Amino acid sequence: MSAVNTILVVDDDPSIVDLLRDFLENENFRVITACDSAQAWAVFEQSTIHCMILDIMMPGQNGFELCRRIRSKSNVPILFLSARSDDVDKIRGLTLGGDDYIVKTASPGEIVARVKAVLRRSASQQQMEERILDYGRIKINLSTREVVVEGKNVVLTPKEYELLRLFAEHPRHVFSYEQLLAKFWDGVGDKHTIRVHLSRLREKIESDPNHPQHLVNVWGVGYRFEGIK
């Protein structure tokens, strides 16, 4: 596993970077380093990264902001590395899409073990998701997160993609407004929030958004997905 995986270590402390590089390379990982978010983003766009170890407090854009930016494009595993052990930072990091949160007092050996564990989970998830939901004019590749409508790639926001995936994986299942708010907005919002997002999604996947054939209203309850595979 480790011989073909590239780890991006992002930290402004050279001593930590050097230490992690030594331990990771000893386990046959390829290691790329960056000292801030700008440099890390440039590396991310130019290289195939299999896992990131990401410091939170850095000059310029912090690790949380970089994580949010990366999650708009990729599901690469991200392990936050922080000098702070309080639950507030940990909860925030995991909520933003981090896969793990490690305090800097952890030994390098433990950090390497965490990297291996998250890569195993990622590989397993990818194997499970290497399938396509085919509804004729709409096709959803779950491994690449690509959506094709009538033979053309459609660009969806992360929220739009997750909404479409939920509906497409449960055809004809009715999802209430309350269920959708709880799952995608942590219960914060109202029916208008959902209507706005589904309206935008319909504009991208429906032949006639004013008369939807796939994402249909269930009056007074919520929505369901119609489609024949």
Side-chain angles (χ1 to χ4, degrees), residues 167 170-175 214-218 222-226:
F167 282 109
H170 304 86
R172 295 195 55 76
H173 179 90
V174 178
F175 289 94
H214 295 284
L215 282 175
V216 300
N217 290 75
V218 178
Y223 299 85
R224 72 168 179 257
F225 183 85
E226 298 283 358

PDB file of all heavy atoms in Angstrom, residues 167 170-175 214-218 222-226:
ATOM      1  N   PHE A 167     -30.749  11.127  -3.386  1.00  0.00           N
ATOM      2  CA  PHE A 167     -32.005  10.810  -4.062  1.00  0.00           C
ATOM      3  C   PHE A 167     -31.832   9.647  -5.033  1.00  0.00           C
ATOM      4  O   PHE A 167     -32.665   8.734  -5.075  1.00  0.00           O
ATOM      5  CB  PHE A 167     -32.520  12.041  -4.821  1.00  0.00           C
ATOM      6  CG  PHE A 167     -33.178  13.064  -3.948  1.00  0.00           C
ATOM      7  CD1 PHE A 167     -32.567  14.282  -3.695  1.00  0.00           C
ATOM      8  CD2 PHE A 167     -34.421  12.814  -3.377  1.00  0.00           C
ATOM      9  CE1 PHE A 167     -33.178  15.230  -2.896  1.00  0.00           C
ATOM     10  CE2 PHE A 167     -35.041  13.754  -2.575  1.00  0.00           C
ATOM     11  CZ  PHE A 167     -34.424  14.973  -2.323  1.00  0.00           C
ATOM     12  N   HIS A 170     -31.720   6.207  -3.625  1.00  0.00           N
ATOM     13  CA  HIS A 170     -32.974   5.769  -2.996  1.00  0.00           C
ATOM     14  C   HIS A 170     -34.152   6.196  -3.865  1.00  0.00           C
ATOM     15  O   HIS A 170     -34.974   7.029  -3.453  1.00  0.00           O
ATOM     16  CB  HIS A 170     -33.111   6.350  -1.581  1.00  0.00           C
ATOM     17  CG  HIS A 170     -31.970   6.015  -0.684  1.00  0.00           C
ATOM     18  ND1 HIS A 170     -30.806   6.770  -0.629  1.00  0.00           N
ATOM     19  CD2 HIS A 170     -31.803   5.000   0.204  1.00  0.00           C
ATOM     20  CE1 HIS A 170     -29.988   6.231   0.251  1.00  0.00           C
ATOM     21  NE2 HIS A 170     -30.554   5.166   0.767  1.00  0.00           N
ATOM     22  N   PRO A 171     -34.242   5.662  -5.095  1.00  0.00           N
ATOM     23  CA  PRO A 171     -35.321   6.077  -5.994  1.00  0.00           C
ATOM     24  C   PRO A 171     -36.702   5.825  -5.399  1.00  0.00           C
ATOM     25  O   PRO A 171     -36.933   4.800  -4.748  1.00  0.00           O
ATOM     26  CB  PRO A 171     -35.075   5.220  -7.244  1.00  0.00           C
ATOM     27  CG  PRO A 171     -34.277   4.056  -6.766  1.00  0.00           C
ATOM     28  CD  PRO A 171     -33.412   4.587  -5.666  1.00  0.00           C
ATOM     29  N   ARG A 172     -37.562   6.812  -5.587  1.00  0.00           N
ATOM     30  CA  ARG A 172     -38.958   6.808  -5.138  1.00  0.00           C
ATOM     31  C   ARG A 172     -39.103   6.875  -3.616  1.00  0.00           C
ATOM     32  O   ARG A 172     -40.217   6.861  -3.105  1.00  0.00           O
ATOM     33  CB  ARG A 172     -39.737   5.613  -5.703  1.00  0.00           C
ATOM     34  CG  ARG A 172     -39.878   5.645  -7.219  1.00  0.00           C
ATOM     35  CD  ARG A 172     -40.933   4.674  -7.715  1.00  0.00           C
ATOM     36  NE  ARG A 172     -42.239   4.874  -7.087  1.00  0.00           N
ATOM     37  CZ  ARG A 172     -43.083   5.860  -7.386  1.00  0.00           C
ATOM     38  NH1 ARG A 172     -42.757   6.763  -8.308  1.00  0.00           N
ATOM     39  NH2 ARG A 172     -44.242   5.951  -6.782  1.00  0.00           N
ATOM     40  N   HIS A 173     -38.011   6.966  -2.916  1.00  0.00           N
ATOM     41  CA  HIS A 173     -38.100   7.167  -1.464  1.00  0.00           C
ATOM     42  C   HIS A 173     -38.367   8.647  -1.199  1.00  0.00           C
ATOM     43  O   HIS A 173     -37.694   9.521  -1.750  1.00  0.00           O
ATOM     44  CB  HIS A 173     -36.809   6.741  -0.779  1.00  0.00           C
ATOM     45  CG  HIS A 173     -36.826   6.938   0.707  1.00  0.00           C
ATOM     46  ND1 HIS A 173     -37.267   5.956   1.576  1.00  0.00           N
ATOM     47  CD2 HIS A 173     -36.470   7.995   1.480  1.00  0.00           C
ATOM     48  CE1 HIS A 173     -37.170   6.406   2.811  1.00  0.00           C
ATOM     49  NE2 HIS A 173     -36.692   7.642   2.780  1.00  0.00           N
ATOM     50  N   VAL A 174     -39.337   8.920  -0.365  1.00  0.00           N
ATOM     51  CA  VAL A 174     -39.693  10.300  -0.070  1.00  0.00           C
ATOM     52  C   VAL A 174     -38.850  10.804   1.100  1.00  0.00           C
ATOM     53  O   VAL A 174     -38.861  10.214   2.186  1.00  0.00           O
ATOM     54  CB  VAL A 174     -41.191  10.434   0.275  1.00  0.00           C
ATOM     55  CG1 VAL A 174     -41.519  11.889   0.617  1.00  0.00           C
ATOM     56  CG2 VAL A 174     -42.045   9.955  -0.888  1.00  0.00           C
ATOM     57  N   PHE A 175     -38.112  11.892   0.857  1.00  0.00           N
ATOM     58  CA  PHE A 175     -37.327  12.532   1.909  1.00  0.00           C
ATOM     59  C   PHE A 175     -38.046  13.805   2.332  1.00  0.00           C
ATOM     60  O   PHE A 175     -38.339  14.673   1.502  1.00  0.00           O
ATOM     61  CB  PHE A 175     -35.918  12.860   1.421  1.00  0.00           C
ATOM     62  CG  PHE A 175     -35.045  11.649   1.242  1.00  0.00           C
ATOM     63  CD1 PHE A 175     -34.936  11.041   0.001  1.00  0.00           C
ATOM     64  CD2 PHE A 175     -34.351  11.105   2.314  1.00  0.00           C
ATOM     65  CE1 PHE A 175     -34.137   9.918  -0.168  1.00  0.00           C
ATOM     66  CE2 PHE A 175     -33.554   9.981   2.160  1.00  0.00           C
ATOM     67  CZ  PHE A 175     -33.448   9.383   0.919  1.00  0.00           C
ATOM     68  N   HIS A 214     -37.572  14.170 -12.716  1.00  0.00           N
ATOM     69  CA  HIS A 214     -36.738  13.356 -11.824  1.00  0.00           C
ATOM     70  C   HIS A 214     -36.905  13.772 -10.358  1.00  0.00           C
ATOM     71  O   HIS A 214     -37.327  12.961  -9.537  1.00  0.00           O
ATOM     72  CB  HIS A 214     -35.269  13.460 -12.239  1.00  0.00           C
ATOM     73  CG  HIS A 214     -34.988  12.871 -13.583  1.00  0.00           C
ATOM     74  ND1 HIS A 214     -34.913  11.515 -13.802  1.00  0.00           N
ATOM     75  CD2 HIS A 214     -34.770  13.452 -14.792  1.00  0.00           C
ATOM     76  CE1 HIS A 214     -34.668  11.284 -15.090  1.00  0.00           C
ATOM     77  NE2 HIS A 214     -34.570  12.443 -15.702  1.00  0.00           N
ATOM     78  N   LEU A 215     -36.564  15.004 -10.032  1.00  0.00           N
ATOM     79  CA  LEU A 215     -36.729  15.486  -8.661  1.00  0.00           C
ATOM     80  C   LEU A 215     -38.112  16.103  -8.521  1.00  0.00           C
ATOM     81  O   LEU A 215     -38.327  17.263  -8.888  1.00  0.00           O
ATOM     82  CB  LEU A 215     -35.646  16.512  -8.317  1.00  0.00           C
ATOM     83  CG  LEU A 215     -34.274  15.951  -7.986  1.00  0.00           C
ATOM     84  CD1 LEU A 215     -33.265  17.080  -7.779  1.00  0.00           C
ATOM     85  CD2 LEU A 215     -34.330  15.079  -6.744  1.00  0.00           C
ATOM     86  N   VAL A 216     -39.030  15.327  -8.000  1.00  0.00           N
ATOM     87  CA  VAL A 216     -40.428  15.776  -7.958  1.00  0.00           C
ATOM     88  C   VAL A 216     -40.858  16.081  -6.527  1.00  0.00           C
ATOM     89  O   VAL A 216     -40.377  15.475  -5.562  1.00  0.00           O
ATOM     90  CB  VAL A 216     -41.368  14.722  -8.579  1.00  0.00           C
ATOM     91  CG1 VAL A 216     -40.987  14.462 -10.034  1.00  0.00           C
ATOM     92  CG2 VAL A 216     -41.333  13.419  -7.793  1.00  0.00           C
ATOM     93  N   ASN A 217     -41.787  17.012  -6.408  1.00  0.00           N
ATOM     94  CA  ASN A 217     -42.344  17.361  -5.104  1.00  0.00           C
ATOM     95  C   ASN A 217     -43.347  16.312  -4.654  1.00  0.00           C
ATOM     96  O   ASN A 217     -44.097  15.760  -5.460  1.00  0.00           O
ATOM     97  CB  ASN A 217     -43.070  18.707  -5.174  1.00  0.00           C
ATOM     98  CG  ASN A 217     -42.115  19.866  -5.344  1.00  0.00           C
ATOM     99  OD1 ASN A 217     -41.585  20.069  -6.425  1.00  0.00           O
ATOM    100  ND2 ASN A 217     -41.900  20.614  -4.285  1.00  0.00           N
ATOM    101  N   VAL A 218     -43.341  16.038  -3.379  1.00  0.00           N
ATOM    102  CA  VAL A 218     -44.411  15.278  -2.751  1.00  0.00           C
ATOM    103  C   VAL A 218     -45.130  16.290  -1.870  1.00  0.00           C
ATOM    104  O   VAL A 218     -44.594  16.712  -0.836  1.00  0.00           O
ATOM    105  CB  VAL A 218     -43.869  14.096  -1.920  1.00  0.00           C
ATOM    106  CG1 VAL A 218     -45.026  13.354  -1.252  1.00  0.00           C
ATOM    107  CG2 VAL A 218     -43.066  13.159  -2.807  1.00  0.00           C
ATOM    108  N   GLY A 222     -42.153  16.572   1.068  1.00  0.00           N
ATOM    109  CA  GLY A 222     -40.761  16.756   0.684  1.00  0.00           C
ATOM    110  C   GLY A 222     -40.558  16.446  -0.783  1.00  0.00           C
ATOM    111  O   GLY A 222     -41.303  16.911  -1.631  1.00  0.00           O
ATOM    112  N   TYR A 223     -39.568  15.582  -1.081  1.00  0.00           N
ATOM    113  CA  TYR A 223     -39.210  15.280  -2.470  1.00  0.00           C
ATOM    114  C   TYR A 223     -38.861  13.802  -2.629  1.00  0.00           C
ATOM    115  O   TYR A 223     -38.490  13.126  -1.669  1.00  0.00           O
ATOM    116  CB  TYR A 223     -38.000  16.117  -2.910  1.00  0.00           C
ATOM    117  CG  TYR A 223     -38.216  17.605  -2.878  1.00  0.00           C
ATOM    118  CD1 TYR A 223     -38.024  18.328  -1.702  1.00  0.00           C
ATOM    119  CD2 TYR A 223     -38.607  18.294  -4.019  1.00  0.00           C
ATOM    120  CE1 TYR A 223     -38.214  19.701  -1.663  1.00  0.00           C
ATOM    121  CE2 TYR A 223     -38.794  19.672  -4.000  1.00  0.00           C
ATOM    122  CZ  TYR A 223     -38.596  20.365  -2.822  1.00  0.00           C
ATOM    123  OH  TYR A 223     -38.788  21.719  -2.784  1.00  0.00           O
ATOM    124  N   ARG A 224     -38.946  13.344  -3.869  1.00  0.00           N
ATOM    125  CA  ARG A 224     -38.454  12.007  -4.201  1.00  0.00           C
ATOM    126  C   ARG A 224     -37.857  12.041  -5.600  1.00  0.00           C
ATOM    127  O   ARG A 224     -38.083  12.961  -6.376  1.00  0.00           O
ATOM    128  CB  ARG A 224     -39.575  10.954  -4.122  1.00  0.00           C
ATOM    129  CG  ARG A 224     -40.596  11.018  -5.222  1.00  0.00           C
ATOM    130  CD  ARG A 224     -41.482   9.770  -5.231  1.00  0.00           C
ATOM    131  NE  ARG A 224     -42.477   9.845  -6.269  1.00  0.00           N
ATOM    132  CZ  ARG A 224     -43.764  10.128  -6.081  1.00  0.00           C
ATOM    133  NH1 ARG A 224     -44.199  10.376  -4.842  1.00  0.00           N
ATOM    134  NH2 ARG A 224     -44.613  10.160  -7.083  1.00  0.00           N
ATOM    135  N   PHE A 225     -37.056  11.003  -5.891  1.00  0.00           N
ATOM    136  CA  PHE A 225     -36.380  10.898  -7.182  1.00  0.00           C
ATOM    137  C   PHE A 225     -37.079   9.866  -8.041  1.00  0.00           C
ATOM    138  O   PHE A 225     -37.246   8.716  -7.620  1.00  0.00           O
ATOM    139  CB  PHE A 225     -34.914  10.517  -6.971  1.00  0.00           C
ATOM    140  CG  PHE A 225     -34.113  10.464  -8.242  1.00  0.00           C
ATOM    141  CD1 PHE A 225     -33.544  11.605  -8.770  1.00  0.00           C
ATOM    142  CD2 PHE A 225     -33.907   9.265  -8.905  1.00  0.00           C
ATOM    143  CE1 PHE A 225     -32.787  11.562  -9.941  1.00  0.00           C
ATOM    144  CE2 PHE A 225     -33.170   9.198 -10.070  1.00  0.00           C
ATOM    145  CZ  PHE A 225     -32.603  10.354 -10.590  1.00  0.00           C
ATOM    146  N   GLU A 226     -37.491  10.266  -9.237  1.00  0.00           N
ATOM    147  CA  GLU A 226     -38.104   9.352 -10.191  1.00  0.00           C
ATOM    148  C   GLU A 226     -37.103   9.052 -11.289  1.00  0.00           C
ATOM    149  O   GLU A 226     -36.408   9.927 -11.775  1.00  0.00           O
ATOM    150  CB  GLU A 226     -39.350   9.991 -10.822  1.00  0.00           C
ATOM    151  CG  GLU A 226     -40.460  10.327  -9.845  1.00  0.00           C
ATOM    152  CD  GLU A 226     -41.244   9.102  -9.417  1.00  0.00           C
ATOM    153  OE1 GLU A 226     -40.942   7.998  -9.921  1.00  0.00           O
ATOM    154  OE2 GLU A 226     -42.145   9.252  -8.578  1.00  0.00           O
TER     155      GLU A 226
END
